[in-house]
Amino acid sequence: MTRTAANSASVAAKPRLTTSAMIASIASEGQRTKPAPFGHALIALARSRPDIVGMTADLGKYTDLHVFAREFPDRYYQMGMAEQLLMGAAAGMAHEGFTPFATTYAVFASRRAYDFIHQTIAEENLDVKIACALPGLTSGYGPSHQAAEDLALFRAMPNLTVIDPCDAHEIEQVVPAIAAHRGPVYMRLLRGQVPLVLDEYGYRFELGKAKVLRDGAEVLVISSGIMTMRALEVAQALEADKVGVAVLHVPTIKPLDAETILQEASRSGRMVVVAENHTVIGGLGEAVAGLLLRSGVTPKFRHIGLPDEFLAAGALPTLHDRYGISTEVMSTRIKGWL
Amino acid sequence: MQSNPLGHKVDLAERAYRIRRNALKMGEVQGQGYIGQALDIADVLAVSYFHAMRYRPEDPAWEERDRFLLSNGHYAIALYAALIEAGIIPEEELETYGSDGSRLPMSGMASYTPGMEMSGGSLGLGLTIAVGMCLGLRRKSSAARVYTLFSDGELDEGSVWEAIMSAGHWKLDNLIGIVDVNNQQADGPSTQVLAFEPLVDKLEAFGWFVQRVDGNDLDAVVAAFDAARNHAAQKPRMIVCDTRMGCGVPFLEAREKNHFIRVDAHEWQLALEALEAGRTQ
């Protein structure tokens, strides 16, 4: 498999932004990207699925639902800046046989509208697909827009499937897959110019499946979302130091692919590092740790994630360095743990 | 006598009596229940199920039915009483109310009970679901309406006002909201816990067609439901129903007002007798 020169270049010379803008690109300089993969995938799906409707709470433009709105204006519901209403109304739509894709920011779905998702959607196992932008630390705007705990909250909700896709290639496949799945889904959303990485690995998304993207003898990184992109860059960087890093991508946070995770973590001699764009409390790291311990699989285990604190405002690359989820800091820490 | 859209002649006073009786019998099973509320809303439920709504008792999921959302899930005892009277739930299940394994839990949940269209309990949900249902029905060009019952205490919830504003925005003329103003919520009189008056003015300002009636006056409730259904303007409709907790059982109606009216074990039978004494044949 080949990696692009852009990926290497991004590790070496990442430009530093200086503002705490709400919307910041997670793409490295020169990285291949695709525009609005969620919106375009939803359009493609909706052509053959008349039951699909789009609903948002004043964030159509910022969740890429605006492209769907342009294509299907009569299937687009602007619900206003009212996330509780958005979720209840999406439940009502699902009651009537439609499959709503409801979008907002991850902070608002998880923290403001939780009870509405819990009671009106999940408890009745309704076909509502919730797609939320700015997951984890993908905004430098401060805690109001940093959804560091969304996975912990949504993992704890019965009936809910939880997806953390890595890139544009994956998002395009996640959209039809979750629409085909019966039941509610929470999907972390990357929007705007979204990095394109996994196509180079011949990757196919399957709901509920973890996939080995590359093998390595010394370290197994288990990751989801944008951290898989980082993990692949780390693996490439450590290759130069003769350190073999395997990457197991786990886009479905719930239900967890226990079989694949146990199989890979059981291979002797490898340190397991879970890397997540999420607080270290209650996300993929603790899910994997709990699985391993319950199964009697106890490799050397390390955890890369966001600290249990209100994160700072600032430029995203600065914050990713500070909180240890940038490629450079991850590489250094993993080498130090060996 | 009233005629309902199903074409049957039904005596609404008798229906309301039987809804109250069913509710009291369920309360007796558990020795508790939100009986004050069940008694106050029985007339509204009688008009809903035996005058206004289209449904098929043998097929509670009939696509063309009018939907009934119980936002105030603790009123489940009242809705079960109506669903039993409507033939959607067998009368013998009344004995299981609130028991382990029953289809009639104390708080209404859609997955448990035929005819229960939403899971309540957490207050302030119903109107938000109703907005989505009404938009969905409009998408399907369905003539069905969504009746949504909620309580005055729920007016404290911000989500209720999100939904009220949204229904006005979308001009949801297939939505008929019913708010039970019994002026009693968990911590005291609703108007004192958080002032919501002048309610009619507020709702009208949000773009609704609003009527306010004595919710225990069957003729007034019938007239309000008829006016709500027949109103020409493309607006959501709200019927503000002022009700009396314990209505139909004088000694409960006179009891000190409380969100959860206390009924002692021996009083359930007395309540049934008092209800029977006031029955209009």
Side-chain angles (χ1 to χ4, degrees):
Chain A
M1 261 171 271
T2 58
R3 257 72 68 193
T4 60
N7 279 351
S8 308
S10 71
V11 175
K14 189 181 288 181
R16 289 290 185 256
L17 304 177
T18 55
T19 68
S20 55
M22 185 187 298
I23 308 297
S25 175
I26 53 154
S28 309
E29 180 73 16
Q31 188 172 31
R32 293 183 307 128
T33 60
K34 257 188 145 171
F38 168 72
H40 290 295
L42 197 58
I43 289 170
L45 178 67
R47 290 207 174 97
S48 61
R49 288 274 305 261
D51 57 306
I52 302 265
V53 295
M55 305 177 79
T56 192
D58 193 32
L59 285 172
K61 271 189 271 185
Y62 300 95
T63 56
D64 288 344
L65 200 60
H66 65 308
V67 297
F68 175 86
R70 278 202 299 266
E71 188 73 18
F72 297 108
D74 68 318
R75 291 162 73 172
Y76 174 70
Y77 292 87
Q78 172 58 266
M79 302 309 293
M81 192 168 46
E83 294 79 14
Q84 301 180 125
L85 167 73
L86 170 70
M87 298 306 171
M93 273 284 188
H95 272 288
E96 295 305 333
F98 296 99
T99 305
F101 276 70
T103 75
T104 178
Y105 284 159
V107 284
F108 304 132
S110 60
R111 303 204 296 245
R112 183 161 299 195
Y114 192 82
D115 185 43
F116 288 73
I117 298 171
H118 192 279
Q119 284 302 114
T120 74
I121 296 170
E123 198 273 336
E124 299 195 39
N125 205 30
L126 293 174
D127 264 332
V128 176
K129 318 302 171 184
I130 300 162
C132 292
L134 304 188
L137 178 54
T138 51
S139 168
Y141 204 59
S144 67
H145 286 61
Q146 293 161 343
E149 66 285 82
D150 60 334
L151 298 179
L153 289 165
F154 285 126
R155 269 186 71 217
M157 192 181 290
N159 284 349
L160 195 65
T161 293
V162 179
I163 311 285
D164 185 16
C166 169
D167 73 342
H169 179 71
E170 184 158 47
I171 286 170
E172 288 171 346
Q173 300 173 47
V174 167
V175 169
I178 63 176
H181 168 77
R182 198 190 163 280
V185 177
Y186 171 74
M187 164 192 178
R188 279 181 150 194
L189 177 62
L190 306 171
R191 48 78 54 193
Q193 293 294 334
V194 177
L196 192 53
V197 175
L198 296 184
D199 56 333
E200 296 179 8
Y201 292 82
Y203 173 81
R204 294 295 303 169
F205 171 79
E206 284 181 81
L207 194 67
K209 294 291 182 196
K211 298 276 176 87
V212 177
L213 297 178
R214 58 169 289 159
D215 205 0
E218 278 79 35
V219 180
L220 170 67
V221 177
I222 300 175
S223 56
S224 68
I226 61 167
M227 295 310 285
T228 292
M229 185 169 77
R230 298 271 196 267
L232 291 168
E233 291 170 357
V234 167
Q236 197 179 338
L238 295 195
E239 208 167 33
D241 298 333
K242 309 289 184 215
V243 177
V245 177
V247 177
L248 177 62
H249 178 47
V250 186
T252 308
I253 304 294
K254 185 184 176 184
L256 206 58
D257 183 355
E259 188 183 347
T260 305
I261 292 169
L262 286 173
Q263 185 182 309
E264 290 300 316
S266 298
R267 265 176 59 183
S268 63
R270 291 201 301 197
M271 175 174 69
V272 170
V273 179
V274 178
E276 58 182 325
N277 172 29
H278 185 269
T279 168
V280 291
I281 294 177
L284 181 64
E286 290 194 347
V288 170
L291 169 69
L292 298 184
L293 201 53
R294 284 192 299 273
S295 308
V297 176
T298 54
K300 183 174 176 181
F301 182 92
R302 294 292 183 272
H303 189 180
I304 290 170
L306 301 168
D308 175 28
E309 61 187 70
F310 286 98
L311 306 178
L316 213 45
T318 311
L319 298 180
H320 281 198
D321 275 344
R322 180 184 304 173
Y323 296 119
I325 63 169
S326 68
T327 304
E328 294 87 338
V329 178
M330 278 175 69
S331 300
T332 304
R333 289 179 78 192
I334 289 173
K335 270 194 287 187
W337 287 330
L338 281 168
Chain B
M1 298 289 280
Q2 306 291 338
S3 65
N4 75 0
L6 300 175
H8 306 304
K9 292 287 184 187
V10 288
D11 181 341
L12 289 175
E14 176 67 7
R15 295 291 195 186
Y17 159 78
R18 280 147 68 167
I19 289 169
R20 288 188 168 94
R21 188 185 59 185
N22 288 344
L24 282 168
K25 285 181 176 176
M26 278 183 275
E28 189 175 22
V29 169
Q30 285 296 326
Q32 60 172 318
Y34 289 91
I35 198 64
Q37 290 86 340
L39 293 170
D40 81 40
I41 207 64
D43 298 306
V44 167
L45 291 173
V47 174
S48 299
Y49 278 86
F50 303 102
H51 175 75
M53 284 168 51
R54 286 159 45 88
Y55 60 94
R56 291 176 174 170
E58 72 285 3
D59 182 12
W62 178 44
E63 170 63 21
E64 292 172 47
R65 76 193 182 284
D66 289 327
R67 281 73 168 146
F68 189 94
L69 293 175
L70 185 73
S71 185
N72 39 357
H74 59 295
Y75 280 49
I77 187 171
L79 187 57
Y80 301 151
L83 293 172
I84 288 168
E85 183 58 19
I88 295 171
I89 299 172
E91 188 172 354
E92 55 269 24
E93 280 195 46
L94 179 155
E95 296 291 333
T96 72
Y97 171 68
S99 303
D100 292 346
S102 171
R103 294 200 299 178
L104 311 181
M106 294 190 80
S107 183
M109 286 179 275
S111 54
Y112 281 64
T113 317
M116 185 67 76
E117 304 253 17
M118 66 168 279
S119 295
S122 171
L123 297 171
L125 302 180
L127 278 177
T128 69
I129 300 171
V131 166
M133 275 189 170
C134 288
L135 290 170
L137 289 168
R138 183 181 282 176
R139 275 203 77 71
K140 294 191 282 191
S141 303
S142 168
R145 293 187 174 91
V146 180
Y147 292 80
T148 304
L149 175 63
F150 64 109
S151 57
D152 53 2
E154 290 187 83
L155 292 164
D156 298 359
E157 293 282 358
S159 59
V160 168
W161 294 97
E162 291 180 7
I164 286 170
M165 184 151 62
S166 180
H169 170 85
W170 292 101
K171 305 184 194 306
L172 297 177
D173 55 3
N174 50 356
L175 173 56
I176 299 181
I178 306 152
V179 54
D180 180 15
V181 180
N182 56 24
N183 200 24
Q184 196 60 234
Q185 63 186 98
D187 269 350
S190 304
T191 43
Q192 292 178 25
V193 171
L194 184 57
F196 57 79
E197 299 287 6
L199 185 54
V200 171
D201 292 347
K202 285 178 179 167
L203 293 167
E204 284 178 346
F206 277 76
W208 288 60
F209 168 62
V210 188
Q211 304 169 83
R212 187 163 195 162
V213 296
D214 177 345
N216 297 121
D217 176 339
L218 278 171
D219 290 337
V221 175
V222 166
F225 271 72
D226 286 348
R229 287 188 296 153
N230 298 326
H231 190 66
Q234 201 188 2
K235 289 179 169 186
R237 296 97 207 276
M238 188 74 80
I239 305 172
V240 180
C241 294
D242 291 295
T243 63
R244 301 190 303 280
M245 290 186 77
C247 182
V249 179
F251 76 87
L252 290 180
E253 200 176 327
R255 185 157 288 179
E256 187 188 0
K257 286 291 171 285
N258 201 311
H259 178 61
F260 205 85
I261 288 182
R262 186 178 54 79
V263 181
D264 291 334
H266 71 282
E267 290 182 319
W268 293 101
Q269 205 52 47
L270 295 176
L272 282 162
E273 288 166 15
L275 181 70
E276 177 68 28
R279 185 179 187 178
T280 51
Q281 294 289 356

